[in-house]
Amino acid sequence: PDPTHLPVAPSRARPLREPPSMAAEMVGTLRALLQSDKWTRTTAEKTFSDARQQQPGATVAGLFQALAEPSVEEPVKEQAAVLLRQCLGKLRNEGSTWSQLGAPGQGECRAKLLLLLEAEPSDKVRRKVADIVQSLGNQLIDIEDDERPNNAQAWPELMPKLMTIVVDGSQTVGLRADALWAVKELLSSAWQIMVANTQQTLGVLKACFSAPSEAVRCYAGQLLCELIDQLERKEDRSNFVVLVEDLCGTLKTLAESADNAQINALLQSLQGTPALADFLKDCFGTHLLPLLSTIAKSHKEEDTQRLALEAMVSLAEGKPKAFAKVPNFIQATLEVCITFLCRLDDDLDSWAAEDDDSAEDEENYTNGKEVIDRLCKCMKANDRLPQIMEMLKPAIAGLFQVGGWKETVAGLAVLSTIVEYIEDEEMVVQMLGAIKAQLKASSPRVRHAAWSALAQFSEDHSETVTSESWAAELLPEFLAGLDDPCERVLSRGMEAFQFYGSEVERELLEPYVQGMMEKLGQKLQGASLPIQKKTITYIAVLAGQMEDGFAVYYPPLMPVLKQLVQSLLHKSEERTLLGKTFECISLLAAAVGPEVFRADAEVIMEAMIQATQVPNLPANDPVKEYMLQASQRICAMMKGAFLPFVPHILPGVLEKFTLKPKEWGQDVAGQLGDDDEVSLSLVTGADGTTKVMIMSTSEMEELSNAVCCVHTFVDELGKDFAPFVAQTAQALLLVFDFSMDEEVRDTAFETWGLLCQCARGNNQISMVAELVQEFLKRILPKFEKVGATGAVAEAQGFDTEGLKTAADGVKACLKKAGPGVLNAQQVQHICQVALSTLNASLKLRDADEAQKRSKPADEDDAVADEDGEEEGVLLRIACCEMVGALADSHADLFMQHCIGPAMQLVTTFIQPSVRFEDRRLALFVVCDMLESLREKIVSQWPQFLPQMLQDVLHQSPGLRQPACYGTSLAAREGAFAPYALAAAQTLSQMITETRSAAKKKSQKPAQACADNALSALAEILTTHQQAVAAGEAQLWGVWLKGLPCQADDEEGVKNHRTLLRLVQAENPQVVGDGGAYLPQVLSILVDVYKTGMADEETSKGIGQLVVKLGPQRLEQLAGQLKEKQRKKLLRIHKEAQ
């Protein structure tokens, strides 16, 4: 094919003018820039900078002359190319070098670049020239996605020249490769030209695939893959399917090459986007899968193996449903992963000698685990997980049957990777058995892997792993594990206890604590530094779980910890141990309570403050985070007694609120180290320009921890925080515009609401009003802008996540501030902007869906669309909650000005024909109104109550839960009596069916619905006894059998409070004739005592009930409890006395 047929505009370039001496001076400057002497370099940098500013045309001309002069040394030419790229960058900036060249000079630049590219003999210099070409081209060429021009009018000579070089067999291999690379790099701007000239593009690529040069063939493969990535339309991509065999042939020959640089580059291009995955899916099983599997298993270089596996899994992530249907794909991918997992170092002595916290596993081993996890994740999201599990079962069994330590480690790694996705409890138990059997294996590597797996199981299936039966098997293993002779295994076992110990119940743990503490005490004073760190954390976990039961260890332990703090305060190399010691002390303090800790509190708090004031601390000093968390824990425990420490801690915490991102630039880049972790964010300014903002991860964590710390102080101290409200509010304003992390801003808004509550608690009504008005002044304009512009027109600027955070903030502020802070106009306005934003989000959703419907249907795209819409769903819920906050804080004004639009939303969305997520919005608004407006809303019931009661049995938990919750709220009113019996029967049916379902993680949402239904049923039975008299006994039986609550803590607190009250009143329906039901009731109350399912008042009442029962009756009832419950009952009795 002849690429030169593209239409080319005549060149109008004029020569760039330069003084005769400029070329020589430029070469001299370039040479000076390469000198090792700093003064010489600095002088040369200033000379060049001044010349560029004062004589831009002559400077560019001098650089071109230096590049064109054959006698100039290669390093000097490379430096010239680097500087020329800078001069021809940032074209659109005001005062850019490019803009000062004028049209003639710009034309000359374009022409000279193409001449230089073709003439330069040095490979290194030519690649840099090619880089200038692509950089300039990408800045000049701007083609709309729906356009298909034959050439780039901004630089019409560019593409014809590059394509001519690419297909010219008489040119050097290096030149052809560089030209092809430049074309590849230009794809983001010029892919439309390639598509407009499809036949020509096919011909060029075909020719390149058959070229003798590996580099040319490699770039052809990369260009094909990256071109496909750019093509959104399937019909455009289909034209290039004929090149797949050429691509595979190139992949095969490059894999056989002695140098793996080219094969690695091509494999990286094969890492799949959805477009590339769709392009390859039909031929993947027959063409690419065998090749990639072979490369991954047997290539001589491990980095190439990993890239091949990455290509396989990333393509599957691009189109999971399609790739799940590719014959043998999942099997082949898993086989490669297991092969990777078995590639472990034979030198166990060297492995054991490494510090466990800083040691890294073999890269292929880590990669194998990651790919299994990613494959499970993407397949689960597309309902293909069972397919993977069935293939893994025999593979896992085979690994354990082999019996070698490598295969066993691999098997344990697979178990720990997939457990997150297992829901069947029986299978989890079988897997746990396999892990427990390896905790005392002869190989330290196997024991290490077994403890790692147990830690993962403790995190993913805590209820099963910490059950009474498994605790009896595993806690002795933890105790024995403290004597492991291999320090790495010991360390990993102690780390596993952090996960396990924080979940296991106190009564199950208690028999082992003394033995553990004896061993830990020895390690605390005599072990290595890494083990001391783990020991501190181990003790902290024990203290946190045992609570006041750990008080016996306080007198001997606290002096040791205080001494450790003093010895570590000024040891910069042991800051992590110091931080962990503070953490342990705070947990120990929480265990013994304020009275015992008060004597040590001042010394500890002074030490923590002193530790953060040590000079020259690094930005990521670990003590800062530990200190803030420990302060929060101590504050929560001491309550008002913590107040004297606040003036000393708060200023340093508030100072962190000044941390903010910086705009990306060379000055910022120069401040970053090679290992610094950063976060990037795109921010659109008021003028419409987009800026790249950057912030170090350590600074973001500091800011987040500081905001969380202040939140805790205000929350725990309540009205006692009043002296610090103004100071805190002023500092908090700085965080309102923080856009790098919405969680930080969300916590800041919640904290503002708590400040309002604090002022309200001190009857400082004027301050409450001032805080609310300041908040609304800053936040409401975000919503007003949406209403003014319309979401669809401003889709690109519609900050869904930011608006959601702002809506949550308004809700928190209004609810915490309470009544009387808004006037009628403000209430009406807030309601209006909330509903306008909701409607704008709906319009944006509808427009997006309409656009997607216009494209060919794709099963994988549908899943991606659902994920992308989640943010919109959350925003709409938040908007509804804004409306609910108005009803809560200003009920009368709401009824006067907001009930109309609120009911319009409800009646529109609650209809059965409306889509699920919109119906749920209606129920959310209904629940808020029922909760806050009570009898005021009864007249509106006919418009929503019948449908809400029907939704109690809806198939989706997302609708069932608010329907049940709303029923519990409506049932408080006497007007509910006509609905009571039918509603109670429906609730009873739902509770019975849900509680009888198999116990799975996936059933938690359903169980949460049942918890809400129990609240509704209890409300009906206690408020409308006469209306349900006919079935009262049966309904009480269902309620009692459905307890304790299983998933919703808030509903658990309600129901268990009700249960205690009814038992105290000796309600015959609950305690039974002659106390027949008391064993069942006591079992429930014992289980929920001092858990999230019972508030402090209820737990105290349970203790009083236990004492009131008396020793004889208590002994009779205890005989019908489980062993764990009997132990807890003894504790309840002891604490109550």
Side-chain angles (χ1 to χ4, degrees), residues 15-29:
L16 293 167
R17 302 298 180 192
E18 66 199 76
S21 62
M22 189 66 184
E25 291 177 3
M26 180 59 70
V27 171
T29 301

Side-chain angles (χ1 to χ4, degrees), residues 6 27-28 48 62 101 149 197 281 287 291 316 336 362 395 404 438 472 671 686 832 872 1018:
L6 293 174
V27 171
F48 179 80
L101 296 179
N197 299 277
K281 65 184 181 183
H287 290 70
L291 270 174
V336 174
E362 295 84 346
Q438 303 301 331
Q671 298 170 14
Q832 184 265 321

Side-chain angles (χ1 to χ4, degrees), residues 52 82-101 106 131-132 134-140 663-669 690-692:
R52 180 179 172 184
V82 170
L83 295 177
L84 182 58
R85 191 185 196 281
Q86 292 177 11
C87 289
L88 302 185
K90 299 183 179 179
L91 306 190
R92 292 175 174 79
N93 285 10
E94 185 177 352
S96 67
T97 302
W98 179 260
S99 66
Q100 296 181 62
L101 296 179
Q106 293 169 0
D131 187 35
I132 302 172
Q134 68 82 19
S135 173
L136 183 60
N138 276 314
Q139 293 178 83
L140 291 174
E663 184 176 358
W664 173 257
Q666 290 300 319
D667 55 334
V668 176
T690 300
K691 299 178 181 179
V692 178

